Every structure is written in C-alpha cells, then in structure tokens.
Amino acid sequence: METLTSRGRAVRLGATAVGLAVVLAGTLWGSDDDFPFGPFRMYATSNPPDEPAPDTRVEGVDRTGRVIELGQAATGIRRAEIEGQQSRYSNDPELLSEVANAYTERHPDGPALTEVRIVVRWHGISDGRPTGRYVDETVARWEIR
C-alpha cells in the first residue's frame, strides 16, 4: 500500500472542508430543495400527539357524479408533487387543469371529467393513536367548462 503524498492529503482535506461548509450552510439557511446539502425536513419532525394527521388526495368527478381517483396511476403525477404545490393550487385552482389533461392523455376513452379537486382527509389522533374519525376538507376545486 502506498502512502498518500502531502499534496494528496491537502487536496482531500480541502475537499472535505468544502463539503462540510456546504452542508453546514445548507443546514443553517437551506431548504428541502437543496437536499442533500440542505435539510430534508419531511422526516425530521412529527406532529403533536393530539393533532390530526393529513392525507391528501386528488379526485375527479365525471358527468354522472362518480368520483375518480386521480393518483399517480391515473395521471402520472405523484402525490408529493401535488402536496408540495398545494398552496399554488389553492391560490389558483385553474392549475388543476394540468391534472385533468394528464388524466385525459392517459385515459382518452375514459369518462370526461367535470371537476378536479384536492381533498385533505384529516384523521383524528388522540394520544398518538388514530381515533378512526376523520374530516374531509376540499382545499382546491376547479370546474371544467
């Protein structure tokens, strides 16, 4: 085994110092978008033991009033992408047209949608345990004209 030269040792120490500085800066001032150099807060926190737990879903409604699940299999859009942009959809529900278009592209012979909505099901939690009760909240709704 050969020993590392002084120059090689200095290069490795410099690269390590730069890496640590970037991770530290990301930790202090970064966001999830900076991962792996910023925090990945998704798993770093937990809800209080008596706070309801959210479960987000996207639904479509056809002309007969039937509800169609518009998850990843139906649209190609991951739930995390919807959740990450939920405030944008709430502020501008017309953006849900992208979900409707994705559904139509994947299911050209499927039932035509008249509405797309984002629904959050708030599961009741007591002492860190599910209560079996829930409340649905529609946070964004777009009617197709």
Side-chain angles (χ1 to χ4, degrees):
M1 176 185 259
E2 294 183 33
T3 59
L4 195 59
T5 65
S6 296
R7 181 172 183 237
R9 198 172 300 120
V11 168
R12 288 185 183 191
L13 284 172
T16 301
V18 168
L20 289 173
V22 170
V23 169
L24 178 62
T27 300
L28 296 176
W29 300 290
S31 68
D32 287 350
D33 294 335
D34 302 321
F35 185 80
F37 299 109
F40 196 50
R41 291 186 178 97
M42 183 166 130
Y43 297 111
T45 62
S46 64
N47 292 347
D50 291 324
E51 185 174 298
D55 181 16
T56 304
R57 67 182 185 275
V58 181
E59 301 176 338
V61 180
D62 70 8
R63 291 182 182 149
T64 67
R66 184 174 66 120
V67 175
I68 300 167
E69 182 183 342
L70 298 179
Q72 184 173 353
T75 63
I77 302 171
R78 294 183 359 233
R79 183 173 95 172
E81 295 174 36
I82 299 292
E83 289 176 339
Q85 307 256 350
Q86 186 173 313
S87 62
R88 287 185 64 222
Y89 289 114
S90 295
N91 292 335
D92 186 7
E94 194 166 329
L95 292 173
L96 288 171
S97 64
E98 298 168 358
V99 177
N101 292 339
Y103 169 78
T104 302
E105 285 178 21
R106 286 183 170 238
H107 304 280
D109 297 328
L113 300 176
T114 60
E115 179 182 335
V116 177
R117 59 190 178 211
I118 298 174
V119 178
V120 177
R121 177 164 285 178
W122 294 95
H123 292 275
I125 305 290
S126 179
D127 294 325
R129 298 279 191 207
T131 63
R133 295 184 301 271
Y134 61 85
V135 175
D136 287 342
E137 175 189 10
T138 301
V139 295
R141 180 174 174 264
W142 179 65
E143 288 188 39
I144 300 169
R145 297 182 189 111

